Amino acid sequence: MTESNSSSGVFVAGTGSYVPEKVLTNDELATLVDTSDEWIVTRTGIKERRIARDDEFTSHMASAAARKALEQSGTSAEEIDLIIVATITPDTPTPATACHVQQQLGATKAVAFDISAACSGFLYAMKIAKRMIAAGAFENALIIGAEKLSAVTNWSDRTTCVLFGDGAGAAVLKKSGEGDGDIVATEMGSDGTLTHLLNIPGGGTACPINSENVDKNLQTLSMLGKEVFKHAVTRMKQASEAVIERAGWSPEDIACVIPHQANLRIIDAIADRLAVPNEKVFVNLHKYGNTSAAAVAIALDEAHREGKFKRGDKIVLVVFGAGLTWAAAAIEW
Ligand code: UT7
């Protein structure tokens, strides 16, 4: 489903991100499973990832990222109307991680809830928040992608454990005023016939937590990587093209493309198919691996703070994940 609304009047007022201190390198992983730095770098582009402390929860990382986004946007926590946390690794099944974040920030008047759309969650949250602000329900929103994937990783499965990491990214959205930017077009989609390609089979009602299921590692991420790869390239290309077309832009207008950070080969394939030069495509997965809903949010913040784009520039965000789900956004900064 694509939406274009050039007068949506909602812009990104500030961004922030947080990653845990502990670095886990490819060489360290090679002491845990039968892998190598050479295999991981060649097949994925990942060199290292961050791992949260045992006492560092998804909400703590989300709040740390949120504080930076609030500061950059010149907004106090008390002013925030809406908090949406996109995550597949909530602190607790209920209440929502967004409510823990609300308490940690002191965002006393906010409405807070989580969404589950895996790696696509941050852009799903962006669209939900944008529509709620544009409809007049709220003046502003704090959207966050935050994950502690290390808690749902099977550390004895080399096909997945080399891929994932922990972190959080956040953005404050506000109603646009004179001279502000605009979230010009958004696209989101899902294909529930492909749930089996990437999932955490255990921990829900279909396969409750019990010692037998935990012994089989069913509470951890499982993926058919090759299949996911093909769908990722196709769907991210389609979603990007849809928002670029609806925005009325051409590839040469775009200052920066910020894709989901799962695999450098996927990112290169998207750049190639969109005819956007590699230097305009932001990549940070060598430092963090795949952090699911947090990935594009952290990348947006880093690209912003590194000056990869400035006020008035046209940027495209595009993501893909379990579900399968995908989404894109064309933003005039
Ligand atoms: O965030 C949601 C979206 N996720 C994605 O987009 C991920 C998409 N998929 C991928 O990024 C890639 O499919 C992977 C990086 C997961 C795997 O790369 P691949 O090129 O598709 O490798 P493969 O699964 O076909 O495995 C090739 C070989 C296999 O050995 P054989 O059967 O050829 O002997 C694997 O057993 O590599 C082996 N292998 C490894 N070897 C060393 C798999 N994992 C590893 C490893 N180290 N960590």
Side-chain angles (χ1 to χ4, degrees):
M1 182 192 163
T2 307
E3 169 199 53
S4 172
N5 185 352
S6 56
S7 61
S8 67
V10 177
F11 77 113
V12 181
T15 61
S17 61
Y18 170 85
V19 290
E21 226 170 274
K22 183 181 160 47
V23 175
L24 179 64
T25 65
N26 290 346
D27 285 335
E28 287 171 289
L29 268 173
T31 66
L32 297 177
V33 288
D34 181 16
T35 190
S36 64
D37 177 57
E38 199 265 332
W39 190 97
I40 302 169
V41 172
T42 310
R43 300 285 178 136
T44 72
I46 300 165
K47 294 184 176 153
E48 57 190 39
R49 67 288 296 144
R50 299 300 179 97
I51 304 294
R53 299 184 314 269
D54 287 348
D55 65 352
E56 191 170 36
F57 308 151
T58 299
S59 65
H60 300 140
M61 294 188 278
S63 294
R67 283 187 191 99
K68 293 181 188 163
L70 288 169
E71 186 187 354
Q72 193 180 73
S73 71
T75 316
S76 71
E78 296 80 17
E79 288 174 87
I80 288 294
D81 293 328
L82 171 67
I83 301 172
I84 307 177
V85 173
T87 188
I88 56 165
T89 48
D91 287 17
T92 47
T94 194
T97 298
C99 293
H100 295 296
V101 170
Q102 176 186 22
Q103 181 268 326
Q104 288 163 25
L105 295 178
T108 41
K109 79 165 175 179
V111 172
F113 61 89
D114 289 357
I115 60 163
S116 173
C119 309
S120 306
F122 184 71
L123 293 192
Y124 272 47
M126 183 178 282
K127 177 160 185 158
I128 294 166
K130 172 196 151 168
R131 294 310 308 162
M132 292 178 101
I133 295 169
F138 300 109
E139 286 290 313
N140 61 50
L142 173 62
I143 58 168
I144 305 170
E147 303 284 10
K148 186 172 177 175
L149 294 182
S150 60
V152 294
T153 296
N154 178 350
W155 291 104
S156 59
D157 175 10
R158 71 174 184 173
T159 69
T160 53
C161 76
V162 302
L163 304 174
F164 303 114
D166 300 336
V172 174
L173 306 189
K174 288 185 178 179
K175 205 175 264 185
S176 306
E178 188 71 26
D180 290 329
D182 192 17
I183 300 170
V184 181
T186 54
E187 161 86 0
M188 54 203 263
S190 316
D191 183 353
T193 66
L194 297 171
T195 52
H196 59 287
L197 294 186
L198 175 50
N199 59 26
I200 298 174
T205 54
C207 182
I209 295 173
N210 58 36
S211 53
E212 194 186 327
N213 291 335
V214 170
D215 285 347
K216 292 183 199 154
N217 269 314
L218 294 179
Q219 79 288 3
T220 61
L221 275 159
S222 135
M223 176 167 70
L224 297 174
K226 259 198 176 353
E227 284 301 305
V228 173
F229 190 110
K230 283 186 258 170
H231 291 287
V233 174
T234 309
R235 293 303 191 179
M236 286 209 278
K237 171 185 178 282
Q238 286 170 350
S240 310
E241 285 175 344
V243 294
I244 292 167
E245 190 192 324
R246 298 296 296 264
W249 301 347
S250 53
E252 52 276 15
D253 297 332
I254 297 165
C256 190
V257 174
I258 303 174
H260 177 47
Q261 307 285 314
N263 188 315
L264 191 54
R265 291 185 291 140
I266 295 176
I267 294 174
D268 287 345
I270 307 289
D272 189 50
R273 284 161 174 76
L274 293 179
V276 171
N278 279 346
E279 58 272 18
K280 287 189 173 179
V281 180
F282 189 78
V283 175
N284 64 3
L285 91 169
H286 52 288
K287 297 188 289 182
Y288 308 134
N290 180 350
T291 57
S292 187
V296 80
I298 297 172
L300 174 66
D301 179 54
E302 289 197 347
H304 183 207
R305 287 174 194 265
E306 287 173 23
K308 302 288 183 199
F309 53 86
K310 56 184 186 315
R311 190 56 80 196
D313 277 350
K314 296 173 169 56
I315 69 166
V316 171
L317 276 58
V318 60
V319 293
F320 178 84
L324 299 177
T325 56
W326 55 91
I331 302 177
E332 204 167 289
W333 202 261

